[in-house]
């Protein structure tokens, strides 16, 4: 076990936007943590009384109300910067619709502290669905690559202290200060969706790992995949931007080869959509490459910055 949790400064950053239906439980569960944490709320322009309620019911929480919606990544960057300036050893990013188990931080910090000479960049708990007996929909998808190993360990021996994964959603991430000093914050080119995938790509590029700790648990209280309407509207454009154009693990040659294959695939899919009368999807496929090509000069600048070590974007 860790020598003294009392000397470990954990700051939790919660980005809110019209979150009244979740915020009471979210912040109450942080109060009940077995390790004391400091909480910073960054509000993206709520109009449902979220800010006023937090200020009245949770006076210990530091609330920062933005004059406009910064999006998920940039609002978190603001909170991360505030936490570091206040002396954070760890910054935990928590969605407004997520709730932590009382001992979650204890397990996360304990696991991180007991790995000698580690290059751990992100420490994640298990993300559970609201029923407490299933994984969160999106979390389960990203866990599929290691699910067989976890099942084997559970059935034949015992779970390992942690498992290395490529990606887990940023609804619940513990970022050691060292990670932020090497990687920085979220790339501001993202407004919502894709920024956490790209962050884990940067984690991998800089030789760090993303891990999941089975003993640590949180609940993500949502159905399906967050804002389906927003995600569907830009899924083709955002997918190209996230997985290809801004993936710094690809060199120029590899990137061009992959983009050519995807371009052919998108062309055939758009033609199919046209013949089926799915004109919205046809337009999304057709415009995805064109829109991304327009951004190429900006992508080049951001790729260069993301390849450099340092507290970028904070």
């Amino acid at each position: 076990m860790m020598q003294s949790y009392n000397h470990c400064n954990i700051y939790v950053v919660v980005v809110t936007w019209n979150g009244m239906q979740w915020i009471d439980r979210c912040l109450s569960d942080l109060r009940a943590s077995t390790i004391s944490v400091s909480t910073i709320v960054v509000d993206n322009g709520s109009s449902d009384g979220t800010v006023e309620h937090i200020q009245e019911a949770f006076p210990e929480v530091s609330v920062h109300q933005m004059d406009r919606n910064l999006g998920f990544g940039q609002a978190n960057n603001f909170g991360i910067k505030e936490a570091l300036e206040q002396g954070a050893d760890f910054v935990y990013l928590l969605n407004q619709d997520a709730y932590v188990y009382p001992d979650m931080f204890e397990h996360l910090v304990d696991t991180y502290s007991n790995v000698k000479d580690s290059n751990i960049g992100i420490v994640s708990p298990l993300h559970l669905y609201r029923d407490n007996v299933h994984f969160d929909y999106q979390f389960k998808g990203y866990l599929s690559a290691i699910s067989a190993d976890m099942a084997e360990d559970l059935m034949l021996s015992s779970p390992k202290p942690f498992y290395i994964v490529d990606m887990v959603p940023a609804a619940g991430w513990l970022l050691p200060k060292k990670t932020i000093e090497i990687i920085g914050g979220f790339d501001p080119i993202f407004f919502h969706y894709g920024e956490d995938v790209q962050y884990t790509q940067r984690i991998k590029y800089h030789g760090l790992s993303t891990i999941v700790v089975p003993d640590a648990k949180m609940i993500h209280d949502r159905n399906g995949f967050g804002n389906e309407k927003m995600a569907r509207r830009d899924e083709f454009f955002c997918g190209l931007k996230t997985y290809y154009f801004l993936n710094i693990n690809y060199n120029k040659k590899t990137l061009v080869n992959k983009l050519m294959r995807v371009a052919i695939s998108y062309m055939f899919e758009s033609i199919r959509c046209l013949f089926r009368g799915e004109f919205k999807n046809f337009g999304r496929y057709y415009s995805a490459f064109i829109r991304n090509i327009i951004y190429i000069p900006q992508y080049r600048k951001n790729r260069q910055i993301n390849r450099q070590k340092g507290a970028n974007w904070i």
Side-chain angles (χ1 to χ4, degrees), residues 214-234:
D215 286 337
K217 300 180 181 67
M218 61 166 263
I219 296 168
H220 197 174
D221 185 7
R222 63 171 178 174
N223 285 317
F225 183 75
N227 189 328
E228 290 281 357
K229 185 177 180 180
M230 181 184 291
R232 293 294 180 190
R233 184 181 62 200
D234 267 352

Side-chain angles (χ1 to χ4, degrees), residues 153-271:
D153 290 343
L154 182 62
M155 296 175 69
L156 300 180
S157 54
S158 62
K160 295 181 176 66
F162 66 88
Y163 293 84
I164 297 176
V165 296
D166 287 331
M167 162 66 188
V168 287
W173 279 3
L174 184 72
L175 300 177
K177 181 180 178 181
K178 181 187 74 173
T179 298
I180 302 167
E181 291 172 342
I182 295 173
I183 307 297
F186 292 107
D187 189 328
I189 203 166
F190 294 90
F191 179 76
H192 197 46
Y193 292 126
E195 61 278 288
D196 52 355
V197 174
Q198 194 246 10
Y199 195 91
T200 56
Q201 292 168 355
R202 290 156 59 195
I203 287 283
K204 182 177 181 179
Y205 178 84
H206 289 288
L208 303 179
S209 299
T210 299
I211 69 168
V212 170
V213 179
D215 286 337
K217 300 180 181 67
M218 61 166 263
I219 296 168
H220 197 174
D221 185 7
R222 63 171 178 174
N223 285 317
F225 183 75
N227 189 328
E228 290 281 357
K229 185 177 180 180
M230 181 184 291
R232 293 294 180 190
R233 184 181 62 200
D234 267 352
E235 63 178 322
F236 304 131
F237 169 71
C238 189
L240 282 172
K241 176 172 71 172
T242 306
Y243 290 99
Y244 298 96
F245 283 100
L246 284 170
N247 188 342
I248 60 175
N249 291 289
Y250 294 148
N251 59 34
K252 186 176 180 179
K253 181 179 179 181
T254 302
L255 178 59
V256 170
N257 287 337
K258 287 184 175 292
L259 285 174
M260 287 180 64
R261 294 177 186 176
V262 176
I264 294 171
S265 173
Y266 271 36
M267 180 182 68
F268 281 111
E269 286 300 325
S270 65
I271 292 171

